[in-house]
Amino acid sequence: MTAPRLRPTLAHVPRYVAGRPPAGTSDLAPYKLASNENPYPPLPGVLGAIRAAAERTNRYPDPAGRLLTERIAARLDVPVEHVVLGTGSVGLLHQMVQIAAGEGEEVVFAWRSFESYPIVTTINGSTPVPVPLRPDQTHDLDAMADAVTDRTRVVFVCTPNNPTGTAVRRDEFDRFLERVPDDVLVVVDEAYVEFVRGEEWVDGLVAYRDRPNVAVLRTFSKAYGLAGLRVGFAVAHPDVAHALRLTAVPFGVSTVAQEAAIASLDAEDALLERVERLVAERSRVEAALDDLGFGLARSQANFVWIPGPTEDLVAACDAVNLSVRAYGDDGARVTIGEPEANDRFLDVMSALGPAARR
Ligand SMILES: *Cc1c(COP(=O)(O)O)cnc(C)c1O
C-alpha cells in the first residue's frame, strides 16, 4: 500500500514545544512557569458566563461573534468592521500568512521570537526569514527592514517579544514602517500588551490607524486568563479584515469562549488589577535577580528570560517542582506566577548564581 502523497513542505515544519507541567519529583506544591499562563483561575462572574454558555453547547456559536466583536471595537475605539475574532491569536497567525504569502514568498520575523512564526510560515509553503535579535535581546528593526525583499509578504513584530520579554520602541518602529513597502503586511503581535509599562513602547493600535498595511493581534489568553478557551482577535483595515473572515474556520470561536471574553471585559477592572499584581511581581523578581548579579534585559511581559545554557537551571527547577521553558542553549523563559512560585524560582537562581549562567 502506498501512503497518500502529502505536501513536501511538512517535512520542514518545526515542532511546537508546549511548556510541560512540573516534574512531580518533590512534595512541594507544583508550579507551572512554562507557558506564560495567568496563575489566577477565572473570576466567579466569568465562570458563571462559561457555565451558562455551556448549556447551549448543542447549538453552533454566532460565526461572526457579533456581541464580542462590538464590545472589543467599543473598548478599543476602532470600527467594528476592523475587528476579527480568531481561535486564539495563533489561529490568526496562520491566517495572516495564508492571506498574504504564497508558495516561496517570504515572511520576516525576529529570532528568537514566538515559535509559531516559522511553523505557520512553513506549513503554508512560504519561506521563513528569521533575523537575529540584537545582543540586548531586542528586535533589530534595521536588519529586519534590510531583510525585506520583493518576495516579502508578511513581517511579524512581536512586542513584547516572546521569549525574551523586550518591547519594541515606538520611535524605532515608526522608522521601520517608513522603510517597509506599504504593500507588505506588518503584523504587530501584542499578546502581552497589558503587561507593558512606559510610554516609549509601541502601541500597535496607534501604528495601525493610518496605515492599511499594519494589523494588530491581541488575545484573551494571557492577561485575561482564558488560555484554555482559544479566543483572540485581530484589528486590521477592511481588506485584511475581510480576508481574515474568508479564511477563518467556521464557528471556530465557541459560544463558551465568546461569552467568557465578554464577561472578562465586564470584569476588566478586577482582571487588570491582577495584571498589576503580576507586573509588581515581575519588578520584584527582576530586582532580586539584579541583586544576585544576573544583569538581565528588562521584561515588559509576564515572564523573564535567562539567557545561556539551561540544563542546570531546568534540573534545579525540576528538583523543586517548578517547570520552566528551556530553549536549548539559548536560554530559559520563566513565567511570573504566584508570589510563592516566584520566591521558589528566586531560591533556585540564588543557589545557581550568575557565574553558572555565562
Ligand atoms: C501566547 C502568545 C500568543 C497567543 O496565543 P493564543 O492563546 O493563541 O491567543 C500569540 N503570540 C505570542 C507571541 C504569544 O506568546
Side-chain angles (χ1 to χ4, degrees), residues 97-182:
V97 177
Q98 270 184 324
I99 66 172
E103 196 100 357
E105 291 180 324
E106 294 172 355
V107 178
V108 171
F109 47 82
W111 199 251
R112 277 197 178 266
S113 187
F114 189 33
E115 62 187 309
S116 286
Y117 302 153
I119 295 174
V120 298
T121 302
T122 312
I123 288 175
N124 196 59
S126 307
T127 304
V129 180
V131 177
L133 296 169
R134 296 186 287 210
D136 65 358
Q137 314 289 349
T138 59
H139 277 52
D140 189 342
L141 291 177
D142 285 331
M144 288 175 71
D146 291 341
V148 171
T149 69
D150 54 11
R151 292 178 304 279
T152 305
R153 293 294 175 270
V154 181
V155 181
F156 288 125
V157 174
C158 188
T159 178
N161 187 46
N162 177 3
T164 63
T166 52
V168 171
R169 293 184 62 92
R170 196 183 282 251
D171 48 356
E172 288 187 27
F173 189 59
D174 289 341
R175 283 201 298 278
F176 170 76
L177 289 174
E178 293 299 311
R179 287 191 59 197
V180 175
D182 55 18

Side-chain angles (χ1 to χ4, degrees), residues 217-267:
L217 286 183
R218 294 192 177 180
T219 179
F220 286 94
S221 294
K222 309 286 164 52
Y224 293 84
L226 299 182
L229 287 180
R230 317 307 305 126
V231 52
F233 59 93
V235 181
H237 288 270
D239 287 354
V240 171
H242 174 69
L244 293 173
R245 288 188 197 99
L246 283 179
T247 51
V249 173
F251 310 113
V253 183
S254 69
T255 304
V256 171
Q258 293 181 30
E259 294 292 336
I262 291 170
S264 299
L265 291 174
D266 289 340

Side-chain angles (χ1 to χ4, degrees), residues 16 18 20 26 44 66 87 107 121 212 223 241 259 295:
Y16 189 96
R20 56 182 179 77
S26 121
R66 195 176 45 84
T87 54
V107 178
T121 302
E259 294 292 336

